[in-house]
Amino acid sequence: MKMRMCVCLALCALLACALPLSALAFNNYALDVDALKALEQQDPFEVKIVKKTVTDGANSNDFSNPDILTLDVQNGFGKAIAQVSVMVVCYDGENLAQPLQGNSNLITVREKRKLYTSTFEDVNAPGGASFQLNIACGHSKFTGARALVAQVVTADGETLTNPIYEQWQELALGSPTHILD
């Protein structure tokens, strides 16, 4: 019995060593980056992310997120915007999803599919204006990012939702769910 248990433990240890850590790592699932880009090009929403840049080392006070992802946004609505909600998914050179922000290098098996979502309040962008949204990040963890404006609140309190956000979110999560209606 002891021998059998030792053999089982040895096999489990061997299997654990044989698996690449990336197979267990947070957010490591395949993304169809081309499908996300194509969907973003068809986006009818009038508030769009028109450019994404990363400035390495711009957030030097945060060891786990030393960089800044800047989203350049164009307000194509005729109304001022007070609040913007965005979704971001990052990926590596193999189009495997990676975390935008790095709090630690610990393996997190429980949260394999998670988008970065954030709401920026007090935006104050008049109709037709361009503005920037800055997000602290760990650029060493990813090589590319896709982002979408999911929702805005106008200065007069009207909430407007991007009609493609659910479809974009499904693609960004690697299509683990399917929209039924």
Side-chain angles (χ1 to χ4, degrees):
M1 185 70 162
K2 273 187 175 180
M3 181 63 142
R4 190 178 196 184
M5 193 165 157
C6 287
V7 169
C8 284
L9 286 173
L11 286 174
C12 287
L14 183 62
L15 180 61
C17 291
L19 281 175
L21 285 179
S22 62
L24 301 173
F26 171 85
N27 265 358
N28 191 15
Y29 58 91
L31 278 177
D32 188 344
V33 176
D34 292 332
L36 281 167
K37 287 179 182 178
L39 182 60
E40 291 165 13
Q41 289 175 347
Q42 300 170 10
D43 185 1
F45 204 53
E46 295 183 51
V47 180
K48 295 183 191 301
I49 296 168
V50 294
K51 184 178 176 185
K52 297 174 292 297
T53 57
V54 175
T55 305
D56 293 334
N59 192 24
S60 59
N61 295 333
D62 186 345
F63 178 73
S64 60
N65 297 303
D67 312 311
I68 297 291
L69 171 65
T70 300
L71 305 175
D72 292 339
V73 182
Q74 177 66 45
N75 178 5
F77 284 126
K79 298 180 178 183
I81 293 173
Q83 184 175 309
V84 177
S85 296
V86 296
M87 295 186 295
V88 179
V89 65
C90 296
Y91 54 92
D92 63 16
E94 297 173 5
N95 289 347
L96 297 176
Q98 299 298 326
L100 172 68
Q101 296 179 323
N103 294 327
S104 71
N105 289 326
L106 296 176
I107 296 171
T108 311
V109 176
R110 294 178 68 199
E111 296 185 88
K112 288 196 83 129
R113 296 177 190 260
K114 183 178 177 185
L115 295 174
Y116 176 86
T117 57
S118 186
T119 299
F120 296 86
E121 298 176 357
D122 300 323
V123 171
N124 195 20
S130 294
F131 58 97
Q132 293 183 331
L133 303 173
N134 294 312
I135 303 168
C137 67
H139 186 216
S140 65
K141 299 184 183 308
F142 63 90
T143 58
R146 304 303 319 155
L148 184 81
V149 174
Q151 192 173 64
V152 298
V153 177
T154 63
D156 60 3
E158 181 182 7
T159 299
L160 304 165
T161 302
N162 189 329
I164 68 163
Y165 99 90
E166 286 180 338
Q167 187 178 2
W168 188 93
Q169 180 177 316
E170 183 176 343
L171 280 172
L173 289 171
S175 298
T177 59
H178 304 279
I179 299 170
L180 299 176
D181 46 31

